[in-house]
Amino acid sequence: MKPLHLAWGFIAAAALPLHAQTNTVTTDPVGYITLPIAGTASGNNPAYTFLGLSMIEQVAYQGALTAVGTASLTDTNATWVDGQFDGTNGTFTVEVASTNGGGYRSTITNTVASTDTLQILDDLSQVAAAGQSYRIFKDWTLTSVFGASNSSGLAGGSATTADQVQVWNGIGYDSYYYQTLGLGGVGWRRAGAPFQDEANQPLFMEQGLLIRRLASAPTNLVLVGAVKVTPTVVPVETNWNFVANPYPVEMTLTSSQLYVADPTNGVSGGSATTADQVMLWHGSGFNTFYYQTSGLGGTGWRKAGAPFVDASTNTIPGGACFIVKRLFAAPFNWSAPKHPVVQD
């Protein structure tokens, strides 16, 4: 086996033992991915880069569930303490193995040692059950991704002159930047709130980021973490979604399993105007893909404007995010299959 050289970097994998309280576990392979961020010298001002955090923080704890509630998970063998995975310790995500093979994730809102219970943001009782495994990860933050002092090389300044990290919130962008000018001190800030420290603002691995760069030179973001080796369930809402490839290797439109012939569990098929759209940034605009089930050109993945050309092998790079424009009336959960880190 040889390491896979990525278009967006290189992953060096190494299995490390981890002691989580009294549990001894083995982490996911660890390494790094190098993510290039375009500058305005590319010919675009501002320059946009669509990033996915295709790595995870190392496992903080894992075990097996003994009970699942509507918004709680219980492990009577757990050894955690109150507040270990929430509050002043930062935000953490729990991922549970599920009855359908996916990895469902939810934010932990409270760690209760007296009842061996994690209170969580979502109801996982329909997809998880006693006996199934779970893992807990600390969420990425602006600091852990881009550096407490902006070591990533994004341009600092004010809300209008600094590079921005933009996060889609469902109706618009929350824009973050490293402030070095103006009132409010130095550090990570959100546009419109220059006095509020955002260093610990969580960034979720399934969530796409848009980097809006005003500086001329490109830069590289090196993300060090663990490589996810389990399936990942990503919620896709109606209308606009910024979705990350959760793995540091490319996936094709076919291997992504975004289309599964059931619009309640994947993108809906149709024509160029009626199907859900998968939009990939190419540096100055989008290539738009859809799964064709009606009209001339046959059935399968197609690029808008080319209904007769098979587009199934077009790729979503590791470390990238893409947009899903969901036209179907209901949301769905994308079960992203794990993708290999090495190849023969």
Side-chain angles (χ1 to χ4, degrees):
M1 306 291 280
K2 62 181 181 180
L4 176 64
H5 290 266
L6 306 174
W8 285 40
F10 170 81
I11 293 297
L16 299 175
L18 169 69
H19 297 276
Q21 303 297 320
T22 59
N23 297 349
T24 301
V25 302
T26 301
T27 69
D28 297 312
V30 297
Y32 67 92
I33 184 170
T34 302
L35 306 176
I37 297 173
T40 59
S42 64
N44 301 301
N45 190 4
Y48 291 102
T49 301
F50 287 73
L51 286 187
L53 302 179
S54 299
M55 307 281 281
I56 53 176
E57 293 272 23
Q58 289 186 256
V59 177
Y61 196 95
Q62 71 178 18
L65 300 173
T66 53
V68 179
T70 55
S72 65
L73 303 170
T74 300
D75 175 6
T76 54
N77 297 309
T79 57
W80 56 60
V81 298
D82 287 341
Q84 184 171 341
F85 304 120
D86 60 89
T88 57
N89 288 330
T91 64
F92 289 76
T93 291
V94 59
E95 180 179 88
V96 299
S98 63
T99 53
N100 61 10
Y104 286 81
R105 298 164 63 82
S106 184
T107 299
I108 298 171
T109 58
N110 196 12
T111 315
V112 186
S114 60
T115 58
D116 299 316
T117 297
L118 300 173
Q119 295 175 358
I120 58 176
L121 193 61
D122 304 287
D123 179 7
L124 300 182
S125 61
Q126 301 303 307
V127 296
Q132 291 175 327
S133 63
Y134 69 91
R135 304 193 300 170
I136 296 173
F137 307 90
K138 187 171 177 59
D139 293 321
W140 295 112
T141 64
L142 286 169
T143 287
S144 62
V145 173
F146 298 100
S149 300
N150 189 26
S151 56
S152 63
L154 294 182
S158 68
T160 58
T161 63
D163 294 344
Q164 294 183 355
V165 179
Q166 300 186 330
V167 181
W168 183 252
N169 61 24
I171 56 175
Y173 297 106
D174 292 323
S175 295
Y176 302 93
Y177 65 100
Y178 192 78
Q179 183 167 268
T180 59
L181 300 172
L183 298 175
V186 174
W188 289 105
R189 300 293 186 265
R190 178 171 53 85
F195 291 86
Q196 182 174 329
D197 182 11
E198 298 285 359
N200 294 320
Q201 169 64 33
L203 302 173
F204 303 105
M205 60 88 63
E206 67 273 20
Q207 173 187 59
L209 306 178
L210 176 57
I211 308 300
R212 181 180 184 272
R213 185 159 170 83
L214 298 178
S216 175
T219 188
N220 288 324
L221 170 65
V222 178
L223 186 65
V224 179
V227 180
K228 200 167 187 296
V229 295
T230 56
T232 307
V233 174
V234 180
V236 177
E237 304 294 334
T238 55
N239 297 317
W240 299 95
N241 299 267
F242 286 67
V243 183
N245 177 350
Y247 306 102
V249 293
E250 68 180 22
M251 55 175 66
T252 66
L253 290 173
T254 294
S255 72
S256 72
Q257 297 182 18
L258 280 163
Y259 181 80
V260 292
D262 176 1
T264 63
N265 289 309
V267 295
S268 65
S271 68
T273 57
T274 62
D276 291 346
Q277 297 175 358
V278 176
M279 304 169 65
L280 296 173
W281 184 253
H282 59 63
S284 59
F286 291 97
N287 289 323
T288 299
F289 300 92
Y290 64 99
Y291 197 89
Q292 183 166 268
T293 58
S294 60
L296 297 176
T299 298
W301 282 104
R302 299 291 187 266
K303 181 181 176 182
F308 292 87
V309 180
D310 178 18
S312 61
T313 59
N314 280 267
T315 59
I316 303 169
C321 89
F322 56 98
I323 295 175
V324 177
K325 186 179 181 182
R326 175 70 163 169
L327 300 181
F328 194 75
F332 73 94
N333 287 318
W334 173 37
S335 294
K338 61 183 180 180
H339 275 64
V341 179
V342 294
Q343 64 182 8
D344 295 322

